[in-house]
Amino acid sequence: GGNPNLDPEKADTYTFGLVYRPMWLSGFDMSIDWLSVNLKGMIASLTSQQIVDGCYVNGDADQCSKITRDAGTDTILFVNSSYQNLNKTKIAGLDVELGYTHPVTIVGGDERLGLRVFTSYLSDYKRTSSTGVVTDVRGDVNSQLLKWKATAMLTYGNGPFSLNLQARYLGKGLLSSAYNIPNATTGVTTYNVAD
C-alpha cells in the first residue's frame, strides 16, 4: 500500500572511479569504483521479517507500530510493509571489474577468448530509525545485501558466433529463523511471519 506521509529523500553521495588499460598488455582493462552514500529520509519497504526483527530484536517502536497481533492469542495477524521514511541510511562499497580478451587459434577463423570478472564488496549498509535504533542490514539474504558478490564470464568468439559460460558467487548471508518455532512434540515448525 501507499503512504501519504512520505517525505522526499536527501543524500550526500561521493564516488571515485579509476580505469586502467595498460599499453604493455593489449586486451586487458580494469576499473575500480568506490561509493559512499549518506541518505536521510530513505524511502523503503522493509520485508515482514525485517519489521519483526526491528521491533522485537532492536526495540524500534516505529516498526512495532506496523505489527498487528491477535488480542487473545498474541499471534501476529498482519505486518504492514508499505513504504516508509527510514531516518538515515549509510551505504559504502567498492566495485571492481577485470577483463581480458586475446586472439586464439583453436579451430581457425577470427577467434578470440575473453574473461571478465565483476566483484562487489559492500563495506557498510546501516539503517537508523527515527528513534535512533541502528540496524546493520549487510548480509541480509532477503534483500541480497551481501558483503561479497562476484560474476565471472568466459567467452569464446569466432566471427559472428560466440559462446558464453557464466558463474556467479554470492557471499555468506543471514536468514533469521528466530521466529520459526519448532513444536517439541510433533517436530513441525510453525511460521509466525511469512514474506
Side-chain angles (χ1 to χ4, degrees):
N3 182 352
N5 299 317
L6 288 176
D7 292 321
E9 298 175 331
K10 294 180 182 177
D12 292 321
T13 303
Y14 302 94
T15 60
F16 176 78
L18 174 70
V19 176
Y20 180 57
R21 289 190 181 115
M23 302 220 19
W24 55 270
L25 185 57
S26 178
F28 175 80
D29 62 88
M30 177 180 74
S31 69
I32 300 174
D33 295 289
W34 169 82
L35 69 95
S36 175
V37 179
N38 287 306
L39 183 62
K40 293 181 181 176
M42 177 185 178
I43 297 173
S45 176
L46 301 180
T47 66
S48 298
Q49 188 66 59
Q50 287 171 327
I51 291 170
V52 171
D53 288 347
C55 176
Y56 297 105
V57 176
N58 300 320
D60 186 345
D62 285 348
Q63 302 312 320
C64 292
S65 68
K66 300 182 181 319
I67 300 171
T68 304
R69 288 185 165 275
D70 182 274
T73 64
D74 204 34
T75 304
I76 294 175
L77 298 175
F78 179 72
V79 178
N80 181 355
S81 59
S82 63
Y83 287 98
Q84 57 180 300
N85 283 109
L86 301 171
N87 194 27
K88 287 192 285 187
T89 299
K90 179 179 170 65
I91 304 166
L94 191 69
D95 292 331
V96 178
E97 180 181 350
L98 301 170
Y100 183 63
T101 304
H102 190 71
V104 294
T105 303
I106 299 173
V107 295
D110 181 21
E111 294 179 286
R112 63 207 172 275
L113 193 63
L115 176 65
R116 188 154 294 279
V117 179
F118 305 91
T119 303
S120 292
Y121 172 68
L122 186 63
S123 60
D124 202 3
Y125 201 120
K126 290 188 176 118
R127 292 182 180 141
T128 305
S129 72
S130 58
T131 56
V133 176
V134 178
T135 305
D136 188 356
V137 295
R138 188 178 64 155
D140 182 71
V141 172
N142 290 327
S143 311
Q144 290 273 321
L145 298 172
L146 303 174
K147 184 176 178 180
W148 287 100
K149 289 185 196 177
T151 302
M153 187 168 22
L154 183 65
T155 304
Y156 167 78
N158 191 336
F161 172 80
S162 68
L163 180 65
N164 297 315
L165 176 64
Q166 183 172 314
R168 188 171 181 211
Y169 169 77
L170 299 174
K172 66 180 180 178
L174 177 64
L175 181 61
S176 174
S177 59
Y179 302 101
N180 300 338
I181 305 165
N183 184 304
T185 306
T186 63
V188 175
T189 301
T190 304
Y191 296 94
N192 291 335
V193 177
D195 289 331

